[in-house]
Amino acid sequence: MSLTSTAGYVARRAAQRERVRILYRRALKDTLNWAVHRHLFYQDASELRERFEVHKHVEDPDTIDRMIEDGEAQYNKWRHPDPYIVPWAPGGSKFTRNPTPPSGIEIVYNFGREDHLED
Amino acid sequence: MALRAAILRHVRVPVKTLTLTGRKSQPWGPNGASLRFLSSHGDDHLSKDEVIERVLSVIKSFPKVDPSQVTPDVHFQKDLGLDSLDNVEIVMALEEEFKLEIPDKEADKIDSSNLAIEYIYNHPMAG
């Protein structure tokens, strides 16, 4: 058809590619959350990769959009309820645990030198 | 009370401030007390060489990559002939290696080992 390689088409395909990459990234992280043992993770990751590779050569943007939405729906269905998040990141266990105190505050250790206090 | 205080003042042992050689001098506040910074993370930064070495070792251990072609400014898709999905896998492996959490938009832009090294080196929490 005549709309292959207009700027709009190229931009749309690029946006779709980005969506696919982000979807693959999230699905891979989710696979790691579900499959704790590394050898299971490798098998599941290979299967996920195969599923993405099967549809690699589709050219029609509408089909691609529909497949991406299918993929995102499946991802949402399989999301892990308690994902592993790096501790210092938002949602992790150490997030805002020990915030750096405001800069004007200091702790003054002057035990034994409280001259001005007499009881 | 005043008598007790006077006796104590008389008996008090003078405080000697020892400075140990080879130790970082700690900042002193008013009244001669010492300050302690209360941050629990983010103090130690990796050196650039270490970052480069670890990033390259991660890339070299990727099964689809030829280890002899990996240099500090190699482009994943153009020079190594990898796929965009392989790019995603490499970024995930780097995240696991350095215990980072890279947001999705940033991770999408990491296309070459140059960018990866820059990003990790400038990240405050790179472990």
Side-chain angles (χ1 to χ4, degrees), chain A residues 17-22 24-26 28-29 32 38 41 45 49 52-53 56 84-90 94 96-101 105-110 112-115 118-119, chain B residues 1-2 4-5 9 12 15 29-36 38-41 62 64 77 83-89 91-92 95-96 99-105 107-108 123 125-126:
Chain A
R17 285 200 187 102
E18 186 173 339
R19 273 176 83 182
V20 168
R21 283 200 293 265
I22 291 183
Y24 181 61
R25 183 179 148 85
R26 289 193 182 158
L28 203 56
K29 284 193 171 171
L32 187 56
R38 207 70 188 186
F41 166 64
R49 185 67 196 258
F52 270 79
E53 294 273 332
K56 205 168 155 181
Y84 171 71
I85 302 179
V86 177
W88 48 264
K94 215 166 135 182
T96 64
R97 183 187 277 190
N98 280 329
T100 51
I105 290 183
E106 52 197 49
I107 295 186
V108 174
Y109 296 95
N110 58 353
R113 286 193 220 128
E114 300 101 339
D115 287 339
E118 287 187 343
D119 49 357
Chain B
M1 275 309 135
R4 176 172 167 240
R9 223 175 287 132
R12 176 188 296 160
V15 173
N31 300 338
S34 72
L35 298 173
R36 248 182 250 171
L38 298 175
S39 94
S40 66
H41 55 243
F62 202 66
K64 296 183 194 174
Q77 297 192 16
D83 204 5
S84 59
L85 297 184
D86 291 326
N87 203 351
V88 170
E89 289 181 11
V91 170
M92 263 210 60
E95 272 193 352
E96 286 192 332
K99 302 192 203 67
L100 292 176
E101 178 88 12
I102 307 179
D104 287 339
K105 293 282 176 185
D108 210 26
H123 202 283
M125 300 296 305

Side-chain angles (χ1 to χ4, degrees), chain B residues 27-96:
Chain B
W28 294 91
N31 300 338
S34 72
L35 298 173
R36 248 182 250 171
F37 295 116
L38 298 175
S39 94
S40 66
H41 55 243
D43 285 343
D44 50 349
H45 294 282
L46 295 172
S47 69
K48 190 110 187 214
D49 294 328
E50 202 184 333
V51 172
I52 293 181
E53 199 186 307
R54 280 166 75 177
V55 167
L56 291 186
S57 71
V58 165
I59 300 176
K60 281 179 195 166
S61 61
F62 202 66
K64 296 183 194 174
V65 158
D66 182 15
S68 60
Q69 287 200 347
V70 175
T71 68
D73 50 357
V74 70
H75 198 275
F76 296 146
Q77 297 192 16
K78 291 183 198 149
D79 295 334
L80 295 175
L82 294 178
D83 204 5
S84 59
L85 297 184
D86 291 326
N87 203 351
V88 170
E89 289 181 11
I90 288 185
V91 170
M92 263 210 60
L94 288 173
E95 272 193 352
E96 286 192 332

Side-chain angles (χ1 to χ4, degrees), chain A residues 29-57:
Chain A
K29 284 193 171 171
D30 216 33
T31 317
L32 187 56
N33 282 330
W34 280 112
V36 182
H37 298 288
R38 207 70 188 186
H39 60 280
L40 299 172
F41 166 64
Y42 285 138
Q43 288 168 11
D44 288 344
S46 322
E47 283 172 23
L48 179 68
R49 185 67 196 258
E50 292 302 314
R51 281 163 62 184
F52 270 79
E53 294 273 332
V54 163
H55 300 293
K56 205 168 155 181
H57 300 287

